[in-house]
Amino acid sequence: MVYLIALAVCILPIQTWTEELPKYPGGINFQNLIMVALLVGWVVDCKRKGLPLVPKNPLNRWIALYLAWSFLALFYGAVFTPQVGLPLSLADERFIHWKDEITGMVIFFVAQATLRDERKVKTLLLCMAAMIPYVIGVYYYQYTTEILARHQRFAVDEVMGDGPEGAKTGVPHARYVQIVGPDGVPLRIVVDREHKLRVVNEDGKKLEAAAKSGPGVIRLPNWRCGTGAFIVHFYQDRRDSGTQAKSFSWELKSITGVFIQLGSNEMASFYANALLVFIGLIVAWKKALKWRLLLVANSLLLAWGTVFSLSRGAWLAVAAAVAYLGARRNRALMIGFVLFLVAAPALMPSSVTSRGGGGMDDSAAHRLDFWTWAAFAGTVRYPLGVGYQCYIPKHREETGIRLDTHNFFFRTLAEMGLIGLVLVLGMFWKGFRTSWLLVDRAQTPFGRGLGMGVAMMWIGSFVANMFGDRFAYISLNCYIWGFTALAAAMLHISEAEATRREVEAEVAAARAAAGSDDFGEPAASQAPRVGDGGRLVPPRG
């Protein structure tokens, strides 16, 4: 069972793989098949071993309530935001997003119930750690290569076609999609019969610089049309970016490693979550040399990825979590982190330091307006919220602005009301408390280190989600809930071990008392006694 869980946790986040896996009608794809296999395996494994399907854990209730409320919000969203429609199809975009969000939660329930010994917990942890060099390696290659193959996905209503005269695009028989380019400029991505890619504006005029990846840096493109999306494959000239960059640029932020459907901030949050878990293990689990070498190596890779992602939200998430652990348990970690912060301006390239010292982005400057709208919508106007995944269409309908709240908690408030917000905050709190409870109750250094690391991950995730959704995407929540399941499983194992020791102690005490009652005073003489000089004297007889 542990390898089936590892297959789901390790493959589902890698979008460069899952995008290429075959998908068939009727919802037959890798994600759905592995979820069915996990659910069946969960029931069969627990019934065969006589274990409860849902081990006792205060986090369970919060997850179950959130699942129920968010599912309900899928449907009442069609009432308050009619343009989205009811999610009556497996292909509905909102239902797909909900299914992605709950995937990690399903993994949590399955893993905490079936991983009932420390060896299985370590096996899953090893599989998750083994993916990190590949994930960072892809990002490192993309960051340092001079010519990069790119795959850009555009969300569109439909793929359109031009006529033989090219009246709409200036390209006869072209296929094209309408997108919103940088700075809100309407653009068209156009592909002709020879698969040559062009970027034009609404008047059909060819643009040289307006698009992020304009004609000057596009080489040998082709295209394919997918359901609800248009994916353009092209080659990008990066000889003035990456390691050659002299200062921060948005081109540096366009690289997302294996997370081709997400942004660099979400990618950085993945790195930060794993980094914090490994730091906790390194701090407490000191005698396992081979494991420490693996954890330290992975932590260095993840630290590099987090720094060069140029995500200030991820930097703050790591800083907050490390500060908490340093203040509460390990002052040496705090001192080392402060020294790194002091030395960083001299050690880091100018692209990193300029990002750290830069001002607010255009979207960041308007976040207070988005938060105000979200808070008012989710409390006064729509006490239940506008509906799951309905913030963007509702906000766009009323303001004409198609932007997210850049804060997962405010978006939850807008979409699912105060009830949804309380449930989300409850999950974060109980996720942290469950992990820190392991620190106090663990019977081994491994358990204490895992508890520290996962607790730090929840702190970091809380901070990161103040800057956007770093929780609901399947590429993030598989590892978030996978790590949390490891901590929950170790907590059950530790409590069972503590109970076993208590029972053994009680049995030993009962036997000693029974021996004294049966044989009276002479029974005490059967125990070794201390003789003259402090030496143990064997029992008489």
Side-chain angles (χ1 to χ4, degrees):
M1 193 65 193
V2 64
Y3 294 107
L4 184 61
I5 298 171
L7 190 66
V9 173
C10 295
I11 291 182
L12 287 175
I14 312 300
Q15 294 178 342
T16 49
W17 294 353
T18 55
E19 280 292 299
E20 299 302 323
L21 292 174
K23 300 174 179 63
Y24 300 100
I28 300 176
N29 56 48
F30 176 78
Q31 179 184 351
N32 291 341
L33 291 177
I34 196 71
M35 284 297 102
V36 171
L38 282 174
L39 292 172
V40 172
W42 176 22
V43 175
V44 171
D45 189 74
C46 289
K47 292 298 182 184
R48 182 168 58 87
K49 296 178 180 177
L51 299 172
L53 280 174
V54 184
K56 193 173 181 180
N57 187 327
L59 183 55
N60 297 338
R61 184 182 306 165
W62 291 92
I63 297 175
L65 289 172
Y66 178 78
L67 290 176
W69 187 252
S70 59
F71 185 74
L72 181 63
L74 271 173
F75 289 88
Y76 70 66
V79 177
F80 300 131
T81 314
Q83 62 266 39
V84 301
L86 288 169
L88 302 178
S89 167
L90 293 176
D92 182 84
E93 288 293 328
R94 293 195 303 129
F95 177 77
I96 291 173
H97 197 285
W98 181 80
K99 182 184 66 175
D100 287 348
E101 183 172 3
I102 71 167
T103 294
M105 300 177 191
V106 172
I107 290 173
F108 169 80
F109 281 118
V110 175
Q112 76 158 344
T114 57
L115 303 180
R116 286 306 186 124
D117 63 71
E118 189 170 307
R119 180 182 59 82
K120 292 180 180 179
V121 172
K122 289 180 178 177
T123 298
L124 181 55
L125 177 64
L126 179 62
C127 292
M128 296 172 73
M131 294 301 299
I132 299 302
Y134 171 76
V135 171
I136 297 294
V138 171
Y139 179 58
Y140 179 81
Y141 167 77
Q142 293 178 353
Y143 195 87
T144 57
T145 189
E146 293 184 349
I147 303 296
L148 175 64
R150 296 294 305 277
H151 314 276
Q152 190 158 355
R153 181 187 182 99
F154 301 99
V156 296
D157 295 327
E158 60 181 346
V159 179
M160 295 167 280
D162 207 347
E165 299 180 356
K168 297 178 181 178
T169 64
V171 182
H173 301 289
R175 301 280 285 175
Y176 69 95
V177 292
Q178 189 77 39
I179 67 169
V180 177
D183 302 322
V185 177
L187 300 175
R188 284 173 180 165
I189 300 293
V190 181
V191 183
D192 63 19
R193 281 182 167 181
E194 285 73 37
H195 300 296
K196 292 181 180 178
L197 184 71
R198 308 185 186 188
V199 182
V200 300
N201 64 9
E202 285 186 313
D203 299 327
K205 295 180 181 178
K206 189 173 179 180
L207 300 180
E208 297 296 337
K212 218 177 204 182
S213 302
V217 294
I218 292 176
R219 306 231 186 339
L220 305 178
N222 54 56
W223 68 280
R224 71 170 181 255
C225 171
T227 304
F230 186 86
I231 303 176
V232 177
H233 303 256
F234 58 93
Y235 290 88
Q236 183 179 5
D237 188 338
R238 289 181 49 80
R239 280 172 286 193
D240 294 326
S241 293
T243 55
Q244 306 299 320
K246 303 300 182 184
S247 62
F248 168 77
S249 70
W250 288 107
E251 189 62 43
L252 294 172
K253 293 277 288 178
S254 68
I255 303 302
T256 58
V258 300
F259 307 105
I260 57 177
Q261 296 180 24
L262 301 180
S264 59
N265 292 322
E266 289 79 12
M267 173 194 71
S269 185
F270 177 94
Y271 298 164
N273 290 338
L275 173 61
L276 292 170
V277 173
F278 294 159
I279 288 175
L281 284 163
I282 292 169
V283 168
W285 196 20
K286 297 180 178 179
K287 293 185 178 181
L289 179 60
K290 292 181 180 179
W291 271 100
R292 283 183 70 80
L293 291 175
L294 173 64
L295 294 170
V296 169
N298 273 358
S299 295
L300 291 175
L301 293 175
L302 291 164
W304 179 88
T306 304
V307 169
F308 283 88
S309 68
L310 305 178
S311 172
R312 293 179 292 192
W315 296 351
L316 286 174
V318 172
V322 171
Y324 178 84
L325 184 62
R328 186 164 181 178
R329 285 296 173 112
N330 195 296
R331 298 297 172 84
L333 179 65
M334 173 76 84
I335 294 171
F337 188 67
V338 170
L339 291 176
F340 169 77
L341 293 179
V342 172
L347 299 175
M348 295 294 120
S350 56
S351 59
V352 175
T353 56
S354 61
R355 176 59 170 166
M360 288 193 299
D361 310 334
D362 291 340
S363 60
H366 296 90
R367 287 179 190 180
L368 186 59
D369 296 334
F370 302 155
W371 297 347
T372 302
W373 189 95
F376 189 68
T379 54
V380 178
R381 298 177 58 199
Y382 307 96
L384 299 180
V386 297
Y388 187 83
Q389 286 295 302
C390 291
Y391 168 83
I392 289 179
K394 191 69 175 179
H395 188 254
R396 185 180 186 180
E397 176 190 31
E398 296 189 0
T399 67
I401 300 174
R402 189 186 183 280
L403 284 175
D404 192 41
T405 56
H406 295 281
N407 186 301
F408 178 66
F409 304 110
F410 273 107
R411 197 189 75 190
T412 300
L413 175 61
E415 293 182 344
M416 292 185 280
L418 284 172
I419 295 176
L421 178 62
V422 169
L423 293 175
V424 165
L425 293 175
M427 283 195 299
F428 273 77
W429 171 244
K430 290 300 182 180
F432 168 78
R433 284 295 302 152
T434 297
S435 306
W436 199 262
L437 195 61
L438 177 60
V439 178
D440 297 329
R441 297 186 181 179
Q443 305 294 309
T444 63
F446 169 71
R448 285 190 291 275
L450 183 62
M452 284 184 189
V454 179
M456 291 171 66
M457 180 199 72
W458 278 104
I459 294 173
S461 183
F462 179 82
V463 174
N465 276 277
M466 292 181 179
F467 300 93
D469 185 353
R470 314 287 187 259
F471 184 74
Y473 296 110
I474 190 171
S475 293
L476 301 178
N477 65 45
C478 280
Y479 263 60
I480 290 174
W481 288 111
F483 283 131
T484 306
L486 293 179
M490 276 304 300
L491 181 60
H492 299 317
I493 294 167
S494 298
E495 290 176 342
E497 178 65 17
T499 301
R500 184 186 65 81
R501 291 182 179 180
E502 289 177 3
V503 170
E504 288 180 350
E506 290 175 1
V507 169
R511 285 177 177 173
S516 176
D517 291 342
D518 290 341
F519 300 103
E521 200 60 38
S525 65
Q526 301 303 310
R529 56 194 177 84
V530 179
D532 296 338
R535 296 192 305 273
L536 284 177
V537 178
R540 294 187 294 272

